[in-house]
């Protein structure tokens, strides 16, 4: 990030250089002290120059912004975000988020990384510099995240950490999955040791963690975690010395559960922040972004000033970026929200880097995406898929099969159930009566022959057709679920030919298609255009019979091996507990 000289910051904060603009007449929510009091704010360039009585900072060319009767808060910080999962490019996601007051996000840009490597990350960071939203980048602890390792376009290890931890854009180690620490993974431990030497914070990922796991992570230096499935788990992490990020995403709704650490268990709120992790754009436009989380926390019983601290200074402090963002204080970026009141927290105007960027839920300038280089447009190298490609080989007339089962009560979690399924022409077939469908993963990088593997899945409820996506963390191979093998082949081949996207196919016809031409995972659509496309895709999936809260929201995470109990990757079905590929054919009872 661009840094002004110390002399320039001192000149601005002493009033030697007059302010470019002054926000006058508002009540300042001081997140450093927890106070609310009348104060004006002087802004010079992209930084806060002074607060309070700033009349001495005004010059003949200073713009005066009237905030009479309103409240001033810092810009909001999303503490853990895979912005690529929005399917929007950096520019377009920024357009969606800043209108609701989110001016900074912490991200590993890991999906760009696994597809396009370090140059892809650099392009994304340059794009953010030209947007009203800052990205504080954490170098992913490794890629691929999967155990065992799946096929990705770019692998990231200790050598890459030795380079990138020295970048001025690197603010820590991102998403350190607990299993790699528990396994004493040599490469991961080397990356963490580098971070300790470089005094960089380590960000964790430990869903449903046992006490011994929490202890081990804290001992390894993991500073914070965003993956608590219960308030008790969240409290245990706080007690072990970690900071807590409460996640409220489009699919994983944990605010009301985990905020109990503060409202019921009495934990100090100053080590608690917020994150969204993954958001559907349609949900942002309907409900807001981080501002929604502030309102939810207040409704749950958190004092308004504390809720605002959680969305600003708390997050900045746990990531050690509070010298740059998180408060309206001299030298920090001039990210200032004008809101109606702390209690209702409706964002009316948004200043980012000192400029007015949004008013009344709309950005003041239309977003302009940059020209895309070939780095972010790699060709898909999937071997052509036919109906005969899809299937699990078996003998006899029926087979006992381990079927991956979606848990409809706990987001993302997949269990396993054994089902007896028909075998026709030596291949296990779907059984719609049992909701046993095909699921495939097609390797897109050509490193593993562009092959397609097949398993069986329960819970999607499709009565016909297929749905598929090339945006699928953690490796962004093409994942497809379907009731009909021919429709699945059409879906996978269409995505490969078009350079990525999401698609719904039925009866040999493309019913809905969302192109994702940037790295095969995001698009330069406006938020409104993306929301419309998401709604059409979900409606088309429901027309096929899917009753999950979000067909594509659940589909894209099937490849993540860090979520219990089973995942499906280009290697096959992976057992979370044993961390190996399992044979899904089971012995048939005599």
């Amino acid at each position: 990030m661009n840094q002004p000289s110390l002399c320039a910051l001192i000149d601005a904060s002493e009033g030697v250089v007059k302010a470019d603009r002054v926000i006058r007449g508002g009540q300042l929510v001081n997140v450093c002290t927890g106070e609310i009091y009348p104060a004006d704010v002087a802004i010079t360039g992209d930084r806060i120059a002074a607060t309070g009585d700033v009349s001495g900072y005004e010059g003949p060319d200073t713009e005066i912004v009237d905030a009479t009767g309103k409240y001033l808060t810092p810009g909001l910080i999303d503490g853990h975000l895979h912005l690529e999962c929005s399917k929007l490019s950096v520019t377009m996601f920024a357009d969606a988020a800043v209108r609701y007051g989110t001016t900074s996000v912490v991200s590993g840009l890991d999906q760009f990384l696994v597809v396009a490597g370090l140059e892809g990350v650099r392009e994304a960071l340059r794009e953010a510099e030209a947007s009203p939203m800052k990205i504080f980048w954490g170098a992913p602890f490794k890629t691929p995240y999967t155990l065992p390792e799946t096929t990705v376009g770019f692998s990231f290890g200790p050598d890459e950490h030795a380079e990138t931890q020295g970048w001025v854009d690197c603010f820590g180690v991102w998403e350190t999955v607990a299993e790699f620490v528990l396994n004493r993974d040599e490469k991961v431990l080397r990356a963490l040791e580098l971070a300790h030497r470089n005094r960089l914070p380590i960000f964790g990922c430990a869903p449903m963690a046992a006490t011994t796991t929490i202890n081990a992570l804290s001992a390894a230096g993991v500073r914070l975690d965003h993956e608590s499935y219960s308030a008790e788990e969240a409290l245990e992490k706080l007690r072990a010395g970690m900071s807590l990020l409460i996640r409220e995403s489009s699919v994983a709704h944990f605010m009301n559960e985990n905020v109990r650490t503060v409202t019921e268990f009495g934990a100090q709120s100053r080590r608690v922040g917020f994150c969204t992790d993954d958001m559907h754009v349609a949900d942002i436009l309907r409900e807001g972004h981080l501002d929604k989380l502030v309102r939810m926390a207040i409704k749950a019983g958190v004092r308004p000033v504390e809720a605002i601290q959680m969305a600003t200074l708390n997050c900045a402090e746990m990531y050690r970026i509070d010298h740059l963002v998180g408060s309206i204080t001299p030298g920090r970026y001039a990210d200032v929200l004008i809101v109606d009141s702390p209690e209702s927290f409706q964002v009316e105007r948004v200043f980012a880097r000192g400029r007015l960027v949004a008013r009344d839920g709309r950005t003041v300038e239309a977003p302009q995406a940059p020209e895309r280089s070939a780095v972010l447009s790699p060709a898909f190298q999937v071997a052509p898929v036919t109906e005969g490609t899809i299937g699990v080989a078996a003998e006899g007339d029926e087979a006992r099969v381990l079927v991956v089962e979606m848990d409809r009560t706990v987001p993302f979690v997949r269990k396993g159930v054994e089902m007896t399924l028909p075998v026709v022409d030596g291949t296990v077939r779907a059984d719609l009566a049992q909701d046993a469908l095909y699921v495939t993963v097609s390797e897109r990088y050509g490193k593993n022959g562009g092959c397609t593997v097949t398993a069986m899945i329960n819970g999607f409820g499709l009565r016909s057709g297929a749905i598929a996506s090339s945006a699928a963390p953690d490796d962004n191979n093409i994942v497809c679920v379907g009731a009909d093998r021919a429709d699945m082949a059409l879906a996978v081949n269409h995505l490969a030919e078009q350079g990525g996207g999401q698609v719904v196919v039925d009866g040999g016809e493309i019913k809905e298609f969302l192109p994702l031409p940037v790295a095969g995972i995001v698009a330069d659509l406006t938020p409104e255009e993306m929301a419309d496309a998401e709604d059409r895709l979900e409606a088309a999936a429901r027309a096929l019979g899917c009753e999950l809260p979000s067909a594509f929201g659940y589909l894209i995470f099937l490849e993540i091996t860090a979520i219990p109990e089973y995942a499906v990757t280009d290697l096959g079905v992976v057992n979370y507990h044993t961390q190996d590929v399992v044979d899904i054919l089971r012995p048939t009872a005599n």
Side-chain angles (χ1 to χ4, degrees):
M1 293 187 179
N2 296 325
Q3 296 291 320
S5 70
L6 283 178
C7 283
L9 287 174
I10 294 168
D11 285 347
S13 292
E14 274 200 316
V16 174
V17 175
K18 298 306 179 184
D20 295 309
R21 59 188 47 85
V22 166
I23 303 176
R24 182 186 291 170
Q27 297 281 322
L28 177 66
V29 180
N30 191 316
V31 292
C32 298
T33 63
E35 300 172 279
I36 300 177
Y37 52 86
D40 298 338
V41 178
I43 297 171
T44 304
D46 62 0
R47 301 301 177 105
I48 302 293
T51 66
D53 178 2
V54 299
S55 55
Y57 293 77
E58 297 177 11
D61 298 322
T62 300
E63 175 192 356
I64 304 301
V65 178
D66 184 13
T68 302
K70 306 298 181 180
Y71 292 78
L72 311 180
T73 79
L76 309 182
I77 306 169
D78 192 328
H80 184 96
L81 174 69
H82 300 267
L83 66 85
E84 303 99 315
C85 289
S86 70
K87 302 184 292 295
L88 289 175
S89 64
V90 171
T91 298
M92 297 304 175
F93 182 85
D95 185 71
V98 297
R99 61 180 75 180
Y100 301 106
T102 301
T103 54
S104 298
V105 301
V106 181
S107 181
L109 299 173
D110 41 7
Q111 306 312 307
F112 284 125
L113 179 66
V114 298
V115 173
L118 291 179
E119 188 51 43
V121 170
R122 285 191 181 277
E123 284 202 24
L125 291 173
R126 288 195 294 269
E127 188 175 346
E129 283 295 321
S131 84
M133 182 190 75
K134 287 169 287 298
I135 294 178
F136 291 92
W137 183 67
F141 75 102
K142 69 163 293 192
T143 66
Y145 294 162
T146 44
L147 281 171
E149 287 193 1
T150 54
T151 309
V152 294
F154 184 83
S155 296
F156 190 87
D159 291 343
E160 289 74 23
H161 271 280
E163 175 187 349
T164 58
Q165 287 190 26
W167 289 6
V168 295
D169 296 303
C170 183
F171 290 89
V173 177
W174 166 269
E175 189 111 25
T176 306
V177 174
E179 285 69 32
F180 290 85
V181 176
L182 300 181
N183 291 346
R184 281 70 163 175
D185 184 288
E186 179 185 357
K187 291 182 178 179
V188 172
L189 294 187
R190 284 170 58 195
L192 302 190
E193 287 166 351
L194 277 170
H196 288 314
R197 287 202 293 272
N198 291 326
R199 296 183 175 86
L200 291 174
I202 298 167
F203 323 149
C205 174
M208 304 182 187
T211 298
T212 53
T213 297
I214 294 170
N215 291 341
L217 295 175
S218 184
V222 173
R223 184 175 175 84
L224 55 93
D225 184 82
H226 72 287
E227 283 274 10
S228 295
Y229 276 59
S230 71
E232 289 78 10
E233 178 187 1
L235 181 62
E236 194 165 6
K237 289 171 180 173
L238 284 169
R239 287 174 170 172
M242 296 184 194
S243 292
L244 171 69
L245 286 169
I246 297 178
R247 176 175 65 179
E248 181 71 19
S249 75
S250 288
V251 179
H253 303 290
F254 289 115
M255 170 63 78
N256 290 333
E257 171 63 23
N258 287 337
V259 79
R260 294 172 53 225
T261 57
V262 175
T263 59
E264 292 184 27
F265 299 163
Q268 294 292 317
S269 64
R270 286 288 280 110
R271 287 178 46 240
V272 180
F274 296 145
C275 74
T276 62
D277 206 353
D278 308 298
M279 288 292 288
H280 299 161
V281 178
D283 292 337
I284 296 175
L285 297 182
R286 280 190 285 260
E287 301 173 350
H289 194 238
L290 262 290
D291 60 321
K292 169 191 171 183
L293 274 63
V294 172
R295 291 190 294 271
M296 288 182 70
I298 293 170
K299 184 177 180 180
V302 177
R303 293 192 309 115
V305 171
E306 289 184 82
I308 295 167
Q309 287 173 325
M310 290 176 175
T312 57
L313 183 62
N314 293 9
C315 200
E317 287 182 343
M318 66 177 74
Y319 281 105
R320 298 177 182 165
I321 55 176
D322 52 302
H323 61 299
L324 297 172
V325 292
S327 62
I328 302 176
T329 50
R332 277 67 177 177
Y333 279 102
D335 300 338
V336 180
L337 310 185
I338 299 179
V339 304
D340 61 342
S341 76
E343 292 77 17
S344 54
F345 204 77
Q346 297 295 323
V347 178
E348 298 181 356
R349 280 174 281 177
V350 180
F351 289 82
R353 292 191 173 100
R355 298 185 302 109
L356 178 68
V357 296
R359 179 192 294 271
D360 298 328
R362 304 289 298 184
T363 49
V364 298
E365 295 181 1
Q368 297 293 324
E371 290 189 15
R372 300 294 173 189
S373 76
V375 170
L376 288 177
S377 302
F380 281 65
Q381 301 181 57
V382 176
V385 177
T386 66
E387 185 174 352
T389 305
I390 299 169
V392 178
E395 298 178 352
D397 296 327
E398 61 182 28
R400 194 71 178 163
V401 180
L402 172 67
V403 177
V404 177
E405 180 184 38
M406 305 304 299
D407 188 327
R408 301 183 186 186
T409 60
V410 183
F412 310 135
V413 170
R414 285 91 51 168
K415 298 181 179 179
V417 59
E418 291 192 8
M419 293 183 179
T420 299
L421 300 178
V423 175
V424 180
D425 296 332
T427 302
V428 175
R429 296 301 172 90
D431 185 345
L432 303 190
Q434 298 186 74
D435 187 23
L437 306 176
Y438 305 104
V439 55
T440 61
V441 176
S442 301
E443 190 261 306
R444 67 173 278 193
Y445 304 102
K447 295 183 177 181
N448 194 21
C451 68
T452 294
V453 300
T454 306
M456 309 303 292
I457 196 163
N458 167 270
F460 275 84
L462 303 186
R463 296 186 296 270
S464 64
I467 61 175
S469 176
S470 64
D474 286 316
D475 46 29
N476 296 297
N477 288 312
I478 298 177
V479 60
C480 180
V481 167
D484 182 89
R485 294 186 299 164
D487 284 342
M488 294 178 71
L490 174 57
V492 173
N493 292 334
H494 186 73
L495 294 186
E497 292 163 1
Q498 296 298 317
Q502 294 184 330
V503 67
V504 178
V505 175
D506 192 32
E509 296 182 6
I510 306 293
K511 297 298 184 180
E512 288 292 343
F513 172 53
L514 167 62
L516 299 175
V518 182
I521 55 177
V522 302
D524 287 320
L525 298 178
T526 67
E528 288 76 12
E529 290 170 335
M530 181 61 73
D532 288 343
E534 287 181 340
D535 287 344
R536 291 196 305 270
L537 284 164
E538 292 293 339
R542 287 194 299 273
L544 299 184
C546 185
E547 296 180 354
L548 290 172
S550 170
F552 283 88
Y554 279 73
L555 175 71
I556 67 173
F557 294 122
L558 289 179
E559 298 181 77
I560 298 179
T561 63
I563 299 175
E565 296 176 355
Y566 292 97
V568 187
T569 76
D570 69 304
L571 304 179
V573 174
V574 175
N575 183 311
Y576 165 86
H577 299 289
T578 61
Q579 298 166 7
D580 60 7
V581 178
V582 300
D583 184 353
I584 65 172
L585 293 180
R586 296 296 196 243
T588 303
N590 295 327

